[in-house]
Amino acid sequence: MLDPKRLRSELDTIAARLAIKGYTLDVARFQSMDAERKTLQADMESLQNERKSGSKAIGALMKSGQTDEANAQKTRMSEVGEALDSAKARFDELAEQLSQWMLEMPNIPDASVPAGKDESDNVQLRVVGERPQMDFEPKDHVELGEAFGGLDFDRAAAVSGSRFAILSGQVARLHRALAQFMIDTHTQEHGYTEAYVPYLVQAHALQGTGQLPKFEEDLFKAGDNHYLIPTAEVPLTNLVRDSIVDELPQQWVAHTPSFRSEAGSYGRDTRGMFRQHQFDKVELVWMTRPEQSWDALESLVGHAEAILSKLGLHFRVVNLCGGDLGFGAAKTYDIEVWLPGQQQFREISSCSNTLDFQARRMQARTRNAAGQTEYLHTLNGSGLAVGRCLIAVMENYQQADGRVAVPQVLQPYMGGLTHIG
């Protein structure tokens, strides 16, 4: 949620920044609502003062025996009370309308976010590693996995419908090995605390991180007030809701399944495992003081990059343009891994700084050097998407005979296996 005070004082500037996200802020509507709010506030203060002075006057009139005047004043005070109740009711109604509207306003893009409409306008920052050289026509992960029985999309569809997969045998083991390798690297080398979190959360948790109310169609609802998590970012970030946190920064990591309806992705990436309703992800979440968050973003993306470098994969890092930037993000770096089967870079991690956007929604605060409370900052990123990393390993390490070499860092997690398939 945006800072209401900043929105009032920098309305035109904020409207211009939000426009690069493709969001049109109704400036006239906000000004009208805010003007009515100020008028009501002034009216309530005036009525409260009149009621206070009128109550004193009634006592004085009664004491001096001026009964008629006292009764007239009582009648006036009754009218004042009714007017005050009416003003309060409208003020509360207006505040609720404004609050609900602001819940659907996206975060303000940082000045370093480039303008642009979609992913074609993202700015490449660096390219790491080399593309694998193959003297044969590379296959995609679907061909590879189905050839040796490790991936089954038909049986998954029979059980659950489209956008699901069944992994078995060595492919399932490689998938598990990747997740364990990521968790071990982040906890042992990058300073994260591992967490096991619920896969079901209540609506207020999703409101805190920004998925609700705007993106309910992207979620799977379970029961009256529970939803399956779209990412571990939701339970991890909500660890600090309604609290004042003095020990910062905090770094959390969790391996969970993620559940997404992919409502806006009809027809996209229908082949294989790339875009599914259920997928595993190792999620990284930071909570920092405001002055720490930009340095934390660089650390966060570096930790995600380290996983790909250890796996020997070719990737690039891009700065997302405004049109491709997520709802809650002030700035996002995407990491895109090279997939030989598609002959292109594809996203495997998004690392974002949300500044105080989520903290305001969650009422998560810290104390500054002067002892005053202020909203902390939150960041999140994939470290990495496990299924997409499995795709990358299978396609980049495929052999001419159809087998897949196991990266050296994963072999201890695979019982010493050097190849699968």
Side-chain angles (χ1 to χ4, degrees), residues 175-222:
H175 183 268
R176 173 164 52 90
L178 281 164
Q180 291 177 326
F181 161 68
M182 293 174 196
I183 288 287
D184 286 349
T185 301
H186 292 313
T187 56
Q188 296 170 17
E189 299 181 20
H190 300 154
Y192 290 82
T193 299
E194 183 177 1
Y196 175 78
V197 295
Y199 301 166
L200 286 169
V201 293
Q202 295 183 3
H204 65 76
L206 289 154
Q207 180 175 295
T209 46
Q211 284 82 10
L212 287 179
K214 191 172 178 63
F215 302 105
E216 185 165 13
E217 67 173 5
D218 295 328
L219 303 169
F220 284 111
K221 193 168 186 180

Side-chain angles (χ1 to χ4, degrees), residues 28 38 50 71 91 94 102 129 264 274 293 297 365 381 386 389:
K38 289 178 180 178
E50 184 178 353
N71 289 333
F91 184 86
L94 190 64
M102 290 187 68
F274 195 82
S293 66
L297 178 60
R365 294 160 291 168
V386 183
C389 202

Side-chain angles (χ1 to χ4, degrees), residues 32 65 134 173 202 254 277 375:
S32 174
M134 299 177 182
R173 186 173 187 178
Q202 295 183 3
H277 291 311
Y375 291 105

